[in-house]
């Protein structure tokens, strides 16, 4: 058989499932990105799976291969946001308080966290702002629990002698303060973001200093 008439060499069977899996993961990421955009623009109630599919540039049938309904997409987004925010907060766990002050740590870390929310405003629409129905808002529980745990661990590093109950309460207040300021940070013009982020940092540092002394 000549080179001109030979059939293309098929990849080994073990490679084909990996390729299909990679394509599936890319498609899921594409759908979630589109869903986040539509949820942020239209809100949960007005968003349809057809609108998400159209934004992603796929047919509704392609969407249903991965997500049976809108609730399933919201649940996947909640998990995606929780994983990403947890990764952004993870560096706090390995800080050395004798080398890095809390103010320095926040100065480095708050910017990327704020930017994540600005790039993913659906996180507020669905899980922070309270405009989504109750069963969707319930999906925020793991996200908030993991964030609260990270904040508590951070406070423990810098206030190891504080009672656990005080640290837990402090983390609860800081998380609530962050959630309260977050919509302002997301909606602000780009040129105002650095100053607002600095204000949030000052709020956290001042509160923590008060927590240590009272």
């Amino acid at each position: 058989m000549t080179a001109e008439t030979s059939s293309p060499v098929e990849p080994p069977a073990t490679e084909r499932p990996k390729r299909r899996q990679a394509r599936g993961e890319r498609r899921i990421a594409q759908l979630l990105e589109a869903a986040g955009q539509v949820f942020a623009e239209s809100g949960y109630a007005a968003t349809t799976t057809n609108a998400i599919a159209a934004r992603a540039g796929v047919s509704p049938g392609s969407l249903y291969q991965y997500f049976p309904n809108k609730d399933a997409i919201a649940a996947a987004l909640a998990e995606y946001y929780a994983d990403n925010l947890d990764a952004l907060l993870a560096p706090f766990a390995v800080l050395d308080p004798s080398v890095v002050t809390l103010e320095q740590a926040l100065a480095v870390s708050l910017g990327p966290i704020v930017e994540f929310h600005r790039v993913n405003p659906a996180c507020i629409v669905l899980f922070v702002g309270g405009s989504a129905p109750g069963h969707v808002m319930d999906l925020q529980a793991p996200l908030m629990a993991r964030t609260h745990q990270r904040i508590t661990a951070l406070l423990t590093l810098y206030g190891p002698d504080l009672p656990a109950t005080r640290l837990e309460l402090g983390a609860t207040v800081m998380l609530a303060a962050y959630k309260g300021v977050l919509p302002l940070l997301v909606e602000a013009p780009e040129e105002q973001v650095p100053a607002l982020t600095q204000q949030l940092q000052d709020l956290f540092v001042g509160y923590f200093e008060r927590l240590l002394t009272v």
Side-chain angles (χ1 to χ4, degrees):
M1 184 177 288
T2 65
E4 287 77 13
T5 60
S6 61
S7 300
V9 177
E10 286 291 325
T14 54
E15 290 184 10
R16 291 196 290 272
K18 292 180 181 179
R19 292 184 179 182
R20 286 194 293 270
Q21 182 180 3
R23 286 197 296 270
E25 289 173 353
R26 288 195 297 271
R27 179 53 54 85
I28 289 172
Q30 177 187 7
L31 290 168
L32 290 181
E33 181 180 1
Q37 293 170 359
V38 179
F39 281 134
E41 294 168 5
S42 304
Y44 185 84
T47 293
T48 65
T49 51
N50 283 350
I52 294 171
R55 180 65 60 90
V58 303
S59 68
S62 294
L63 182 149
Y64 290 128
Q65 290 179 18
Y66 300 97
F67 301 107
N69 51 46
K70 187 168 65 173
D71 283 355
I73 298 173
L77 273 175
E79 184 176 357
Y80 170 78
Y81 294 147
D83 288 344
N84 278 269
L85 286 170
D86 195 49
L88 287 171
L89 289 166
F92 283 137
V94 294
L95 290 174
D96 184 347
S98 67
V99 177
V100 181
T101 67
L102 178 63
E103 185 171 3
Q104 290 170 333
L106 291 173
V108 172
S109 301
L110 273 183
I113 295 172
V114 169
E115 180 62 20
F116 174 82
H117 283 292
R118 287 178 64 84
V119 173
N120 297 281
C123 190
I124 294 179
V125 172
L126 294 179
F127 310 120
V128 178
S131 61
H135 72 282
V136 175
M137 286 295 293
D138 289 343
L139 297 172
Q140 74 164 312
L143 187 157
M144 293 299 115
R146 287 159 69 174
T147 303
H148 185 276
Q149 184 180 33
R150 290 292 191 185
I151 296 174
T152 302
L154 175 66
L155 296 184
T156 302
L157 281 175
Y158 287 92
D161 297 327
L162 289 176
T165 53
R166 189 169 180 79
L167 291 168
E168 290 278 344
L169 182 60
T172 299
V173 171
M174 291 178 74
L175 180 56
Y178 179 69
K179 289 172 64 178
V181 176
L182 198 52
L184 177 63
L185 284 163
V186 169
E187 296 166 8
E190 187 67 34
E191 64 271 15
Q192 294 182 9
V193 173
L196 289 170
T197 304
Q198 181 64 53
Q199 290 294 309
L200 181 62
Q201 176 184 316
D202 293 345
L203 185 154
F204 283 163
V205 172
Y207 173 71
F208 183 67
E209 288 176 350
R210 182 72 172 172
L211 199 67
L212 287 173
T213 57
V214 175

